[in-house]
Amino acid sequence: MNTIANQIAQGRILVSDGAWGTFLQQKGLGAGQCPELWNLERPGEVLEIAQSYILAGADMIETNSFGGNSFKLASYGLSDKVYEINKAASQISRRAAGADRYVLGSMGPTGKIIMTGEVTYESLFEAFRQQAVALQDGGADALVIETMSDIDEAKAAISAAADGTKCEIICTMTFEKTDEHAYHTMMGVTPAQMTEELVCSGAAVIGANCGNGIRDMIGIVKEIRSVNKTIPVLIHANAGAPVYRDGQTVFPESAEQMAEFIGELIDAGANIIGGCCGTTPEHIKRIAEIVKSRNIT
Amino acid sequence: MDNSDLLAKILECVEFGKVNKDAPFPPNMKGQDGADELTKLALERGIKPSEILNDALIKAMEIVGQKFSDKKIFVPQMLISAKAMNASMAHLKPYFQSGEVKRKGKFIIGTVAGDLHDIGKNLVAMIVEGAGWEVIDLGVDVNSQKFIQSIKENNSEAVGLSALLTTTMQNMKSIAQEIKAQCPSVKLIIGGAPVTEQFKIEIGADGYARDPQGAVSYLNSLVA
Ligand code: B12
Ligand SMILES: [Zn+2]
């Protein structure tokens, strides 16, 4: 298969998948349960999620492994299952993707901060390398390091993935709007700084995920493009900022509301578009329709 | 350097996170004495511990808290300032324990049961400590029994609950109600990204703040 970066270089826009975490919760994942354990215990339901996004028109599907690093699995007493859980995650998504769609092995943050001294760069590197290798062994084509807020943790993950695997490396960070025109991650990284540092570290695709919805993403892509015109950019926006209603978390943007901004997001320079928290196969279907029409013209 | 210059220098170290002489941060203060050395020097010179606390540490943490509220600085700068504050505080601790320096009161804080997010809670703990309160941090995943036991043992004036998940906001509600039932006089303040003023009213808490500076204003209003 052609690489993702190659397809983009040829001018195509690609569609990615939508939320996993909120989807698993809908299927009955309780608070305090380990989402990644479902790869071993309820693989059928995980497969259904993957398939629903492929059916909706996604060109690529992530894996259920966001919290699959040894640090996060340790909080469920599962740190000795890193390999099994991640390999199974890729195998499930591979089944849904078939041979001609991409499987993106998801790698989320560890929750540890290097600068407080609670972990070292080296221990993060080791944890990410272990996860990356297992995801590749299960059949991932690319790895998507996502929801990062600390630039050093992101770099540790990129270097580890490059060291341990031959997968294409995608890395996205999570930004908040901090001013009329400024965006920062929780750790103070701007989209421009991310772009410069992650491209140097060897990411083939960069971008943003999660956060407060698709409108912010347009400003973030513009800032990325102000410092780099060519790097492929992936955007996974939430279905709006979460609101709390009657004991439930709701992501308020409908597929239609999100769809309104897809054209503008592509014009700003995004190349791969999918969704994060609260997005559903319905959202992806609308995105795929718009992207399809753009790819023809 | 006279005494007021020395206090100003300690303030600067805490504001910009210069922990000690060997610390590489911030680069423009490389090789200079940090909060650690300067606090020791100040005590040797006979500057009162309460003066160091009030005129250097509390002022510095006020500036830091404000800059964070205004999104001028981010989590890393907060953490490094807190480290510098702790380096200075270590020299002052003996005076707190002997009672020579009075603190404003005792504040217990923890992240509620089921929730493991602690970055925000830690920042609140640090800024409140920097504001002159004794802080007892119960950590993450704290249930109502642990809160209540600690409130009773320490006879604390106030307790803070943190929750970052909408699911654990439910636990916050039940914990708040149990605390209120068993320790009616303790003031209860809540916070965390999904928590709102409206939710405070809904669960019968006394205070809500969206950031550490807000927590300090609320707590200080209790003892003013
Ligand atoms: C870092 C992070 C993590 C880290 C936590 C590391 C740690 N040691 O804390 C890790 C990776 C472990 C993690 C895990 C999870 N996370 Co998380 N996480 C975040 C993230 C990115 C940042 C939170 C943070 O630290 N913010 C920075 C601090 C400074 O802000 P803050 O916490 O809001 O605190 C400030 C104020 O709220 C206030 N404050 C805080 N506490 C208190 C207390 C009092 C008394 C007062 C007055 C004020 C106050 O002052 C602070 C300073 O200004 C958020 C997204 C986001 N941007 O908010 C998601 C987020 C909170 N996580 C989320 C989720 C879903 C999870 C997981 C369930 C994911 C999973 N499937 O595994 C798990 C849950 C684990 C658990 N049981 O707790 C969701 C919550 C969704 C929801 N609405 O419920 C969020 C919003 C991401 C998202 N958009 O979906 N997470
Ligand atoms: Zn999200």
Side-chain angles (χ1 to χ4, degrees), chain B residues 34-97:
Chain B
D36 182 24
E37 292 84 5
L38 295 174
T39 306
K40 203 162 153 251
L41 177 66
L43 288 168
E44 280 163 11
R45 284 220 197 148
I47 301 181
K48 284 211 223 95
S50 58
E51 248 176 283
I52 301 174
L53 180 69
N54 292 321
D55 298 342
L57 303 194
I58 293 184
K59 275 194 190 148
M61 290 317 268
E62 226 175 79
I63 300 172
V64 171
Q66 195 55 51
K67 283 201 270 188
F68 183 75
S69 275
D70 297 343
K71 309 208 181 217
K72 298 266 182 334
I73 61 168
F74 297 90
V75 172
Q77 291 92 335
M78 282 276 269
L79 292 172
I80 197 94
S81 280
K83 235 180 171 173
M85 179 192 78
N86 286 336
S88 176
M89 219 46 133
H91 296 286
L92 304 184
K93 282 258 154 79
Y95 301 90
F96 295 139
Q97 275 144 10

Side-chain angles (χ1 to χ4, degrees), chain A residues 186 210 277, chain B residues 68 114 116-120 162 164-166 192-193 210 212:
Chain A
M186 180 187 111
C210 215
C277 307
Chain B
F68 183 75
L116 304 174
H117 293 86
D118 67 357
I119 300 169
S162 179
L164 261 284
L165 297 170
T166 43
R210 53 188 303 274

Side-chain angles (χ1 to χ4, degrees), chain A residues 147 209-211 236-238 251 276-278:
Chain A
T147 328
N209 74 295
C210 215
H236 282 162
N238 285 354
F251 289 89
C276 199
C277 307

Side-chain angles (χ1 to χ4, degrees), chain A residues 115 176 184 187-188 244 249, chain B residues 71 74-76 79 119 166 170:
Chain A
M115 73 164 300
E176 266 179 79
H184 288 90
M187 303 297 271
Y244 179 73
T249 310
Chain B
K71 309 208 181 217
F74 297 90
V75 172
L79 292 172
I119 300 169
T166 43
Q170 293 312 307

